[in-house]
Amino acid sequence: MAEVNLKEAYIKYLDILNSGCKNEIEKAKYNLLFEASNFFEVVVNYVTLYKFGLKYDFGKCIIPKGAKLYRIRCYETDVDFSNQSQWEAPPHRPQNRANIKGQEALYLGSTETICLLEAHIKKGDVYALGIYEAAEDIEVGGYLLFDPNNELHNLAGMILNAFLIAPSRSQRNKELFSYLDSQYGVLSLDDFEDMNALKEKGGLQLSVKFGVLNQLDKYYNLTNQLCNILSKDTPDGIRYSSCYLPLETVGIKCSDYNVVLYSEGISKIKFVEYKIKTNTQDFDYTDFLKIIMK
């Protein structure tokens, strides 16, 4: 990727916009995203161009009425899990990957397995499993739409998706990053310049590499902006791959995925029941990533 000036490129785009040629406009719009020196700058360009009024359509999908969704919480003896309020969105509304602080958001998974990974439940641990059902169709966004006629659209979606789902450094992920750092070492933006890496095995590892690159605690500030852009078209919520099983991307869907529901989406589900269970699985949240990286 060559060094470029986004402002100058945007001015050229406005000239093309005035020409009224649809194909040229669409091509120029995606070329703008790649006025970047590395993949991280593609993410920044996407956010910046949105503020200039440029929108990119990466599709939406439906969680159909009747579909089951799941949530896992670590078991605590002093918590009354039979109280339905325990299964509502967290009342203190902390910032997370897909919501700013104070924004109502409920994080669910499509399967019990993905929830076990997300909750870091070890073998032998006791946990509470909450089961929900979609009371009506729920429309969710994400970076999933494949365009057979626009390669830059697909590459941009892969990059944005990878950044959105990258693992984040935290005390809970200490074990994971100990492993990842030993595998990748210290990464710099220079390690995110090779476009061919998206078309080969490295494309599957891009989300992990974004996680290793990040050494700060401001990562969610940028993922929040990505989700804010997506939620303008799908206020119900957003579908995205787990950072521990990062298989979904443009044109590829997986049965195990995460979903965040905002107020509109939360109103479209109902809590069904909860179960107290003990994890009997041998795998943990690091195992799948180790397989992917081999």
Side-chain angles (χ1 to χ4, degrees):
M1 295 182 180
E3 290 287 346
V4 290
N5 186 308
L6 182 60
K7 182 177 180 180
E8 292 179 3
Y10 182 69
I11 292 174
K12 293 180 181 178
Y13 166 77
L14 293 179
D15 291 336
I16 296 173
L17 187 64
N18 292 329
S19 73
C21 178
K22 184 176 180 180
N23 290 338
E24 288 299 316
I25 292 171
E26 195 69 6
K27 180 180 177 181
K29 186 170 77 170
Y30 279 93
N31 282 336
L32 271 176
L33 282 180
F34 287 90
E35 296 285 351
S37 301
N38 53 67
F39 298 149
F40 177 74
E41 288 185 5
V42 173
V43 178
V44 174
N45 284 353
Y46 172 74
V47 173
T48 302
L49 291 168
Y50 178 80
K51 295 176 181 178
F52 286 163
L54 269 69
K55 294 179 62 177
Y56 297 83
D57 182 10
F58 289 99
K60 58 187 70 172
C61 62
I62 298 294
I63 299 175
K65 178 180 178 179
K68 294 292 193 298
L69 294 169
Y70 304 87
R71 179 185 175 194
I72 279 179
R73 296 181 57 187
C74 295
Y75 181 73
E76 300 176 66
T77 56
D78 59 345
V79 174
D80 180 10
F81 290 104
S82 65
N83 186 333
Q84 188 168 328
S85 66
Q86 292 294 331
W87 298 101
E88 297 173 354
H92 50 296
R93 302 183 179 184
Q95 180 187 30
N96 210 314
R97 183 181 303 270
N99 72 287
I100 62 173
K101 183 176 176 59
Q103 180 183 17
E104 184 179 26
L106 184 61
Y107 289 81
L108 304 172
S110 63
T111 66
E112 181 177 352
T113 298
I114 206 66
C115 293
L116 285 170
L117 298 179
E118 289 286 331
H120 295 216
I121 305 296
K122 300 287 189 180
K123 184 177 181 179
D125 286 351
V126 179
Y127 61 93
L129 173 70
I131 303 173
Y132 304 76
E133 182 178 303
E136 55 185 286
D137 288 352
I138 303 171
E139 190 175 64
V140 290
Y143 298 107
L144 298 173
L145 179 65
F146 178 80
D147 186 342
N149 302 312
N150 191 337
E151 183 182 25
L152 286 185
H153 164 95
N154 299 330
L155 293 176
M158 291 173 65
I159 294 169
L160 293 166
N161 180 70
F163 189 85
L164 174 61
I165 69 174
S168 61
R169 292 181 183 272
S170 66
Q171 190 61 34
R172 294 180 68 199
N173 275 340
K174 186 176 180 179
E175 176 185 339
L176 172 63
F177 276 95
S178 177
Y179 172 76
L180 294 180
D181 289 339
S182 71
Q183 296 297 307
Y184 288 110
V186 178
L187 296 178
S188 70
L189 291 177
D190 292 340
D191 296 299
F192 293 81
E193 295 180 349
D194 184 9
M195 186 65 69
N196 290 325
L198 283 177
K199 304 174 184 179
E200 300 170 356
K201 184 178 178 181
L204 191 59
Q205 298 181 12
L206 182 58
S207 65
V208 179
K209 293 176 71 175
F210 269 135
V212 174
L213 173 70
N214 174 49
Q215 298 287 333
L216 305 175
D217 60 358
K218 302 297 184 183
Y219 167 66
Y220 282 170
N221 289 353
L222 191 47
T223 62
N224 285 175
Q225 293 184 67
L226 297 184
C227 291
N228 178 61
I229 293 172
L230 290 173
S231 67
K232 296 300 182 183
D233 289 325
T234 55
D236 285 354
I238 296 166
R239 170 176 172 158
Y240 60 100
S241 183
S242 167
C243 64
Y244 306 119
L245 193 63
L247 298 182
E248 284 205 337
T249 187
V250 172
I252 299 176
K253 290 187 178 181
C254 177
S255 59
D256 293 73
Y257 61 87
N258 289 331
V259 61
V260 58
L261 299 181
Y262 304 119
S263 299
E264 291 88 341
I266 292 172
S267 70
K268 296 179 180 180
I269 63 169
K270 60 181 179 180
F271 178 71
V272 178
E273 63 176 331
Y274 79 97
K275 298 178 181 179
I276 303 300
K277 304 182 71 173
T278 300
N279 186 16
T280 60
Q281 304 293 334
D282 289 321
F283 60 81
D284 67 20
Y285 69 106
T286 64
D287 292 331
F288 288 111
L289 282 182
K290 290 179 180 179
I291 293 172
I292 289 172
M293 292 172 60
K294 289 181 180 178

